[in-house]
Amino acid sequence: MLRIDICNEHGFPLDEGRLKKAVRAVLKESGFDGGEISIAVVDDAEMHALNRKYLEHDYPTDVLSFVLDEEDSRLDGEIIVSSDYAAREAKIYNWTAEDEILLYVIHGSLHLVGHDDQDAASKKLMREQERKHLLSFGLVPSYDEKEVS
């Protein structure tokens, strides 16, 4: 069984069922059918602090993800997304901040199952996976393939 918990202390408007469905789809496709995934929706200040603490980056980002444990078909992990970042980016890409958060959750889930986006080839594959999962919600991202996240 896969348990997904969402902490949204700032009361950012979310369809939690949609986020959980996205995480389940990404994990299932990668062979994970059990575990515990937490999703935290934070503001830029908290994301900045987390970036500084864990990645030594002195700025906020859109999403962070951490694998806590992985064994056979079980995965435990955390996905942290910035609602402030999403609100800004949504305006640029002409969709809602809630859709942008969904993208971040999908992106973070893909990282949890082993995808990365550190070089052009892996980034292309990551974008293809994002597009596929977003399409299942009727969404098509408008970001450019060459853009760096």
Side-chain angles (χ1 to χ4, degrees):
M1 183 169 131
L2 180 60
R3 178 180 168 163
I4 302 169
D5 294 314
I6 298 175
C7 179
N8 182 15
E9 291 182 5
H10 303 288
F12 191 80
L14 293 175
D15 179 343
E16 292 187 5
R18 188 167 83 145
L19 298 180
K20 290 178 179 183
K21 182 178 178 183
V23 172
R24 287 183 196 287
V26 171
L27 269 64
K28 182 178 180 181
E29 183 178 84
S30 296
F32 295 101
D33 58 11
E36 294 183 20
I37 305 295
S38 66
I39 300 170
V41 182
V42 301
D43 62 12
D44 272 351
E46 192 168 351
M47 185 63 89
H48 190 159
L50 291 167
N51 263 299
R52 197 177 306 126
K53 181 176 180 177
Y54 293 106
L55 300 178
E56 298 180 9
H57 296 160
D58 195 21
Y59 50 85
T61 55
D62 51 1
V63 59
L64 291 171
S65 58
F66 301 97
V67 172
L68 302 176
D69 193 29
E70 180 181 341
E71 185 176 326
D72 301 322
S73 64
R74 180 182 171 82
L75 179 66
D76 296 337
E78 296 179 348
I79 301 168
I80 306 159
V81 298
S82 171
S83 57
D84 293 338
Y85 204 100
R88 284 190 307 276
E89 293 291 298
K91 292 175 187 172
I92 295 168
Y93 296 109
N94 297 313
W95 60 4
T96 68
E98 190 174 1
D99 291 342
E100 188 75 7
I101 292 279
L102 177 64
L103 168 63
Y104 298 168
V105 167
I106 290 169
H107 186 89
S109 298
L110 289 166
H111 276 302
L112 290 178
V113 300
H115 288 273
D116 77 41
D117 50 4
Q118 297 302 308
D119 60 52
S122 60
K123 183 170 181 144
K124 183 177 186 225
L125 180 58
M126 175 76 88
R127 291 292 196 221
E128 289 169 1
Q129 289 296 308
E130 288 170 359
R131 286 179 190 279
K132 179 179 74 176
H133 287 285
L134 286 167
L135 191 57
S136 72
F137 294 95
L139 299 171
V140 177
S142 62
Y143 53 67
D144 180 74
E145 290 293 337
K146 296 178 185 173
E147 179 193 356
V148 177
S149 65

